[in-house]
Every structure is written in structure tokens, then in C-alpha cells.
Amino acid sequence: MTAPTVVSNEEVGPGIWLMWVEASAIAGTAEPGQFAMVRCSDGHDPLLRRPLSFHRLAPPRIAFLFEVVGRGTEWLAHRKAGDAVDLLGPLGKPFTLHPRSKNLLLVAGGMGIAPLLTLGDRALAEERSVTLLLGARSQDRLYPLSSLPLEMEVDVSTEDGSAGRKGLVTERLPDFLPWADQVFACGPATMYQAMRGLAEFPKRPVQVLVEMPMGCGVGGCYGCVIETKHGLKRTCKDGPRFELAEIV
Ligand code: FES
């Protein structure tokens, strides 16, 4: 089996990189919402792998969207086409699409678009309707709209009003919820808190992806636990997909 190899790696926003990797064994079985643990060095420094969600799946290729936040992701941003990358995956629980859901609402805060886009791709391929509420701090932090599928309805919000509507992405939710059969979200904890504060939400199941620093990525170290109504759960093994109402 050939090692995963970088196909392309480009900066799509300030410090935000889109890397395509040829990784047939992983791409063939990966599901939207799952992730890979990516080695981010040639040696042992940094020692820990970084969890990166599958951003797009086009077997035998996978795309990762990541932000440079430290030495590991800086190293990753310097990988070039033809370089080998060491991936462990697919890992974690994927999103669950109900067979009867026709209308899907995706809510992405900032880098939260990373795992949601491949879910949108999958849903569109199954002839479902997809609306994406896409939020960012400002226009320069916004995911490139030209990279979104044409069939996807997109509603843009920025906190400073430099693109789309001015405000938080969660403020757009009440307008779209009556249409949606299922809701999926990924973003910072503050976004989930805002969603929980909406009057509509106790009645609506919402699948969210939780981002936590991870050690092993496979359930062994308990370095990624979150508190839920059913006790402590490991983000890597019991998640990263949880019900919004389940998280304490
Ligand atoms: Fe080790 Fe989750 S990262 S248990």
C-alpha cells in the first residue's frame, strides 16, 4: 500500500490552508464528520498528531482545511505536492443522515466549515437540499465562496459586516429552522451556547462536532473528555459528533 501523498497545498485565507492528499485506503471508507490524526513533523517534535476533520472526500483523495496555530500546523503548511504525510484514520463517529430528511441546514462558525462541507457534498449527491449558514469574523476570514457547490444555498454573516449580513451566524437560525429536517453545526463553544439559548432548540435535535485537543485520538489516553448528560465522554472515540442537548 502506498503512503498518503500531498497532491496540493494552498493558502486560501490568512493562515488557512487547503491540503489535498491522495490516501486511497482512508478515503475509501471515511465518512463526513470523521477525522484523521495527522503527524506534523519529520521526527518526534511536536510529538502529538493533530486531529483534522475530513473537509472533502473524493476517493482516492481527501482534503483537509486547517489553520496555522502552532509549530505542527506550520510544518504542515510547508508540505508540497509529492511529500508523504502520515495519517491515522478514519476515526470517530460520523454525522448521521436520516433517510427521510430532505432539507439539511448546516451552521458553520469560522473554521467550522471544515467538517461540514463534505456532509453537504454527500447530501447534494443524494439529491437532498442543503442550506449553509456561513459565519466568520470578517471577510478575509471567510471561506472562499467559489469553492462551495453551486447547488448549495449559502447565507453569509460576518461579525464586522464586511461581507453578508452583519452579526453572528446564530442570529440567522430562526429564519431557516422551520424549513430544516435536520440541523448540523460546527463552530466555537460560544456558538453552541448561543444556539442553546434559542427558544427553538430544546425541541430540535442538532448534531454538533466538538473540537478538543487530542493525545492518542483512539480512546486510550482520556485526554479529550467532555462532560455530557450521560457522563464523561471521549471526544475522539464517543464523538466528535454529539447531540447539542447532550453536552453540559
Ligand atoms: Fe486519547 Fe481521546 S485523545 S482518549
Side-chain angles (χ1 to χ4, degrees), residues 137-187:
R137 282 204 302 273
S138 55
Q139 184 166 26
D140 64 330
R141 307 285 303 167
L142 199 61
Y143 186 79
L145 299 181
S146 58
S147 298
L148 298 172
L150 289 175
E151 314 92 297
M152 192 178 277
E153 294 286 330
V154 185
D155 184 275
V156 172
S157 307
T158 51
E159 290 176 35
D160 66 357
S162 52
R165 292 166 197 266
K166 183 171 189 215
L168 298 173
V169 68
T170 46
E171 291 165 13
R172 302 292 298 137
L173 271 163
D175 284 354
F176 290 89
L177 281 173
W179 168 84
D181 297 320
Q182 271 191 280
V183 184
F184 303 86
C186 187

Side-chain angles (χ1 to χ4, degrees), residues 118-132:
T118 193
L119 176 68
D121 287 338
R122 173 73 57 91
L124 289 170
E126 294 173 354
E127 301 193 338
R128 307 178 199 239
S129 298
V130 179
T131 295
L132 170 67

Side-chain angles (χ1 to χ4, degrees), residues 214-217 219-224 234 236:
M214 289 185 189
C216 67
C221 72
Y222 284 76
C224 65
R234 294 162 298 179
C236 64

Side-chain angles (χ1 to χ4, degrees), residues 35-215:
F35 65 98
M37 293 297 280
V38 183
R39 186 179 291 286
C40 288
S41 69
D42 289 316
H44 298 295
D45 183 30
L47 180 63
L48 297 181
R49 292 167 180 259
R50 290 265 312 168
L52 292 183
S53 298
F54 300 125
H55 176 56
R56 288 204 125 142
L57 294 168
R61 295 181 175 178
I62 295 167
F64 296 104
L65 185 75
F66 63 94
E67 184 168 14
V68 173
V69 291
R71 278 183 302 134
T73 41
E74 178 76 42
W75 180 90
L76 208 56
H78 284 94
R79 295 311 95 201
K80 303 260 181 306
D83 287 349
V85 277
D86 185 345
L87 307 178
L88 182 65
L91 301 170
K93 300 251 188 313
F95 289 119
T96 307
L97 274 170
H98 298 311
R100 288 210 297 271
S101 296
K102 282 297 296 170
N103 300 332
L104 306 190
L105 184 61
L106 313 184
V107 187
M111 289 296 290
I113 185 65
L116 289 175
L117 194 47
T118 193
L119 176 68
D121 287 338
R122 173 73 57 91
L124 289 170
E126 294 173 354
E127 301 193 338
R128 307 178 199 239
S129 298
V130 179
T131 295
L132 170 67
L133 306 186
L134 181 62
R137 282 204 302 273
S138 55
Q139 184 166 26
D140 64 330
R141 307 285 303 167
L142 199 61
Y143 186 79
L145 299 181
S146 58
S147 298
L148 298 172
L150 289 175
E151 314 92 297
M152 192 178 277
E153 294 286 330
V154 185
D155 184 275
V156 172
S157 307
T158 51
E159 290 176 35
D160 66 357
S162 52
R165 292 166 197 266
K166 183 171 189 215
L168 298 173
V169 68
T170 46
E171 291 165 13
R172 302 292 298 137
L173 271 163
D175 284 354
F176 290 89
L177 281 173
W179 168 84
D181 297 320
Q182 271 191 280
V183 184
F184 303 86
C186 187
T190 49
M191 186 178 107
Y192 296 152
Q193 281 163 0
M195 289 175 75
R196 291 256 292 248
L198 293 171
E200 292 86 349
F201 268 106
K203 305 173 233 103
R204 296 292 303 242
V206 183
Q207 292 177 40
V208 299
L209 227 65
V210 173
E211 274 204 348
M212 287 288 286
M214 289 185 189

